[in-house]
Amino acid sequence: MLFPTLTFGLFFLVAFVVVWSAPSNEWRKILLLVASWYFYGAWDWRFVPLLIFSALGNWAIARGLEHPRFAGHRKTLLLSGVALNLLVLGFFKYCDFFIEQLAGTLTMLGFARDIPVLQIILPIGISFFTFQGISYVIDVYRERVPAARLIDILLLMSFFPHLVAGPIVRAADLVPQFQQKPKLDRSMVSMALLLIVWGLFKKAVIASELAVDFVDPVFADPTAHSAWDLIFAAYGYAVQIYCDFSAYSDMAIGLAALFGYRFPRNFNQPYRALSLQDFWRRWHMSLSQWLRDYLYIEALGGSRGGEAKTYRNLMATMLLGGLWHGANWTFVIWGGIHGGVLAIERYWTAHAPKERRKLPDWAKLLITFHVVLLAWVFFRAPSFSDAMTYLGGIVMPWRGPSAFTATPLILLLIACGLAIHAAPQRWIGDVAVRLRTMSAWSFAAALIVVMLVIDAMRFEGVAPFIYYRF
């Protein structure tokens, strides 16, 4: 069930009315939970029990961590909780990948074996709800949050606005909100609806049009396109993935707000970053903070232990972050590019003479953006060989066609997507304040007009969000 569809719109309207009509906060949470399971089950009902099992397992581990009887076994319980989540994630997401790698390695060594691939269906959003479970049991172990009631943990991991593509909302931020009766005022409504409409525009108009009419065809067959097509398709994908993923986050934040809950911001104009470290402070912030807190610092030790270990930990974090996105070497290479450049930046800051570090901001922005752009080619390409073919078509343009096929509309959409980053950072808040002063009828009329305009501009049909497959 995709957000920008009539089916989801009807589902949300029913859920909104039913949930706000609940006689108590407990009933409200139960109804939200049922709605969330229905939302997840609309994709495939067979995996709803997996979602429930994951939440039950994390709830039981957390309760055990606080029980006096298990005081001497807290670390064992923690490791069990982390292992439970990783086993669920590993089986569904990486089992076939490792079987294929094992078969290839055995063949290369002369021990060819016919090892059957299981062809496991990947549950949508599994990376997000398992990471949510890991952070919860670690926070309970570190006594950052108390173990919560079962209904709250079930809802934490199943709440449909963030279930399939984030943001990764931590228990410390969301569970206390579940424990209080939420309130909905005009300020929240205006901001929520503005975020939803803005997300709908970015997804349905910019991201979908770029994907279907330009980016997908070029990446599908780079040898049939000119170097200029390849260059502009890389820029187009950078715009597409930002507009696609930030659109989902905006809509998720807005939908949650209409139920009275606040999600953290997930994007902050990432292509305005002046370094790769700055980029990760702006891009998919809930994931980057998760990787920093629970993997880089908690598991690997962060910057403790000297300079060499710091670089190792940076690289390991980004390689694992790449693998988190999917069972493909292209994602590992994407993470390796980011990890390597992050390590170089840290070394340069620590050791380069000050006079050599003084680049103008525009140069820092261009360098950072094009490092990200290079990594996106590997992220988008179906395989490593496809990515190398793509890059080869850019550096050796004489080998391919010379025609430039991007239409003026495509160029306009790329420019529009990049221009979004030049807008004042508080513009949505400023517009929401103005909307609050409008009468209810004027507000509704303006909303209907904008929705009709977006519907007229949108590409026919809606492709799934890119991050649904992670």
Side-chain angles (χ1 to χ4, degrees), residues 189-268:
V189 171
S190 60
M191 177 62 81
L193 292 177
L194 186 59
L195 283 171
I196 292 169
V197 170
W198 179 231
L200 182 62
F201 171 77
K202 287 191 291 183
K203 169 60 179 174
V205 177
I206 300 179
S208 293
E209 184 73 24
L210 281 174
V212 175
D213 278 356
F214 190 53
V215 173
D216 288 352
V218 174
F219 272 90
D221 190 4
T223 59
H225 293 84
S226 68
W228 284 113
D229 277 347
L230 299 175
I231 291 170
F232 275 87
Y235 283 106
Y237 184 67
V239 171
Q240 179 203 342
I241 192 170
Y242 166 73
C243 287
D244 188 284
F245 193 18
S246 66
Y248 182 94
S249 293
D250 288 344
M251 297 175 80
I253 293 168
L255 292 168
L258 290 177
F259 285 112
Y261 303 117
R262 298 181 185 274
F263 283 179
R265 189 179 185 184
N266 210 27
F267 288 88
N268 181 20

